[in-house]
Amino acid sequence: MLAAQGQRIGIVAARFNDFVVSHLISGAEDTFVRHGGNSEDLTLAYVPGAFEIPLMALRMAQSGKYDAIVCLGAVIRGATPHFDMVANESAKGIAQAAMQTGVPVLNGILTTDSIDQAIERAGTKAGNKGADAMISAIEMVNLLAK
Ligand code: INI
């Protein structure tokens, strides 16, 4: 089993679409603790929307206080005229934050066509993307330590 013992993880979460994102946060936190992590080693930072996630993720990764950063948000096409811009920029910025710092920065941002699809991927019919991103974070921290 993947072990999260001793790992320190920063979570960056968007307040936009909080009715979905709050479930991604719960999924990520539960997963960390179920894999042996200590909830006191999790730090949660909120930003306004997915567009702002990369800057906060970069700052947290640069701080040296975290072994990995998990980014959580929900960009929903139905409700977002500038869906592509927000979705692309957040994904690009997350990848850049990881490459610039060498700290794993995981993309747990849902990008969906509808609110229903977002709900399905936030702990109902189709898993929980927050939990998935946390699993990937734990795996990357362990891999990079080897
Ligand atoms: N931010 C999101 O996280 N999800 C969305 O679906 C969304 N929509 O619909 O526009 C969204 N917009 C806000 C954006 O992330 C920024 O906070 C805003 O543009 C200010 O920079």
Side-chain angles (χ1 to χ4, degrees), residues 2-5 7-12 23-39 41-44 66-72 104-109 128-142:
L2 283 171
Q5 274 93 358
Q7 295 187 5
R8 301 156 308 160
I9 309 274
I11 298 176
V12 185
H23 295 282
L24 301 180
I25 296 170
S26 308
E29 290 175 340
D30 287 355
T31 297
F32 183 68
V33 172
R34 277 194 291 106
H35 287 79
N38 183 341
S39 59
D41 291 327
L42 286 178
T43 301
L44 172 61
Y66 307 103
D67 299 307
I69 311 295
V70 171
C71 301
L72 304 176
V105 183
L106 289 299
N107 185 348
I109 300 179
N128 183 313
K129 196 170 171 82
D132 294 348
M134 182 60 77
I135 290 277
S136 300
I138 295 167
E139 181 176 357
M140 286 303 293
V141 174
N142 285 331

Side-chain angles (χ1 to χ4, degrees), residues 12-25 47-51 53 71-80 83 86-87 90 94 107-115 117-119 121-122 129-130:
V12 185
R15 280 196 306 272
F16 206 105
N17 291 327
D18 179 64
F19 72 103
V20 172
V21 179
S22 60
H23 295 282
L24 301 180
I25 296 170
V47 294
F51 192 78
I53 286 176
C71 301
L72 304 176
V75 190
I76 301 171
R77 188 186 290 276
T80 315
F83 172 93
V86 175
S90 59
I94 286 170
N107 185 348
I109 300 179
L110 287 171
T111 53
T112 64
D113 286 330
S114 68
I115 289 174
Q117 283 176 355
I119 292 169
R121 295 169 198 177
K129 196 170 171 82

Side-chain angles (χ1 to χ4, degrees), residues 20 68 88 97 103:
V20 172
N88 291 338
V103 173

